[in-house]
Amino acid sequence: NAGVTQTPKFRVLKTGQSMTLLCAQDMNHEYMYWYRQDPGMGLRLIHYSVGEGTTAKGEVPDGYNVSRLKKQNFLLGLESAAPSQTSVYFCASSPSGRIYGYTFGSGTRLTVV
Amino acid sequence: LAKTTQPISMDSYEGQEVNITCSHNNIATNDYITWYQQFPSQGPRFIIQGYKTKVTNEVASLFIPADRKSSTLSLPRVSLSDTAVYYCLVGDPGSNYQLIWGAGTKLIIKP
């Protein structure tokens, strides 16, 4: 049982480049989330999804887009990367919105130079 | 959304009991208190959740006073592997809304 899998684990981008981060979960969870975590800080919600085909903005959505075409996958896109988007990105899923049910992936470390 | 306040860091020694207190003065009537643990280079992991009085599981205990304006996570007999960041969150467990993650408490266990 893999849980939540994020790919890639590491990536270096040049300013202006684009990329997509993939999150896959095998627990049949309805809810999925993308967070970013900057050094010494807590997590900040970028976007989330309450079901296949739905997405919603979180606390810091600017510069990111998401898609949930399949229930098990939640994609995070950076259209034109900026150094301010250098961070560790975590994907999470939960069976409902209940805060005790979050399962997190191991993260993607992104550096924008 | 309710805000939580925790100590930035704490030190302790192997075998000791560690108590981390979280302040949540504006907690709503139907909010629960939830604690997560995060190791370096990993995503957070659920530890325990409670509404009032005391909750205990195989990992920790959570003490919540009657006024619910604070809570204390208790880790019995810690080991080096308990070195991590611990986050206290409050929120309605029945609704899907944005959680506010603070900086957490960095717990360092020494041999």
Side-chain angles (χ1 to χ4, degrees), chain B residues 15-71:
Chain B
Q16 299 295 308
E17 178 184 76
V18 172
N19 295 310
I20 305 174
T21 297
C22 177
S23 172
H24 29 79
N25 292 319
N26 296 320
I27 188 169
T29 303
N30 59 346
D31 278 359
Y32 278 62
I33 300 113
T34 306
W35 286 80
Y36 278 79
Q37 174 192 56
Q38 185 179 26
F39 296 114
S41 302
Q42 293 186 29
R45 182 176 71 103
F46 170 81
I47 301 176
I48 196 167
Q49 183 183 66
Y51 183 77
K52 62 180 179 181
T53 62
K54 177 184 175 182
V55 179
T56 298
N57 62 22
E58 65 277 7
V59 177
S61 294
L62 180 59
F63 298 92
I64 305 167
D67 66 6
R68 300 195 340 112
K69 293 185 181 298
S70 67
S71 59

Side-chain angles (χ1 to χ4, degrees), chain A residues 31 33 35 37 40-45 48 50 57-59 90 96-107 109, chain B residues 32-34 36 38 41-46 49 87 89-103:
Chain A
Y31 291 66
Y33 314 82
Y35 286 91
Q37 186 174 35
M41 297 180 66
L43 282 72
R44 290 185 292 171
L45 183 64
Y48 65 98
V50 301
K57 295 181 179 180
E59 180 187 359
F90 288 102
S96 69
R98 297 177 181 272
I99 59 177
Y100 59 76
Y102 282 37
T103 301
F104 282 85
S106 58
R109 186 174 297 275
Chain B
Y32 278 62
I33 300 113
T34 306
Y36 278 79
Q38 185 179 26
S41 302
Q42 293 186 29
R45 182 176 71 103
F46 170 81
Q49 183 183 66
Y87 296 95
L89 302 168
V90 296
D92 178 359
S95 68
N96 178 45
Y97 71 103
Q98 302 176 37
L99 296 174
I100 303 297
W101 294 72

Side-chain angles (χ1 to χ4, degrees), chain A residues 2-3 7 17 25-26 30-31 33 35 38 44 46 51 55 60 67 69 80 85 94 102 105 108-109 111:
Chain A
T7 54
Q17 287 185 320
Q25 53 97 1
D26 61 2
E30 289 292 336
Y31 291 66
Y33 314 82
Y35 286 91
D38 298 315
R44 290 185 292 171
I46 304 171
T55 63
V60 289
S67 64
L69 299 180
S80 179
Q85 294 178 304
S94 65
Y102 282 37
T108 295
R109 186 174 297 275
T111 302

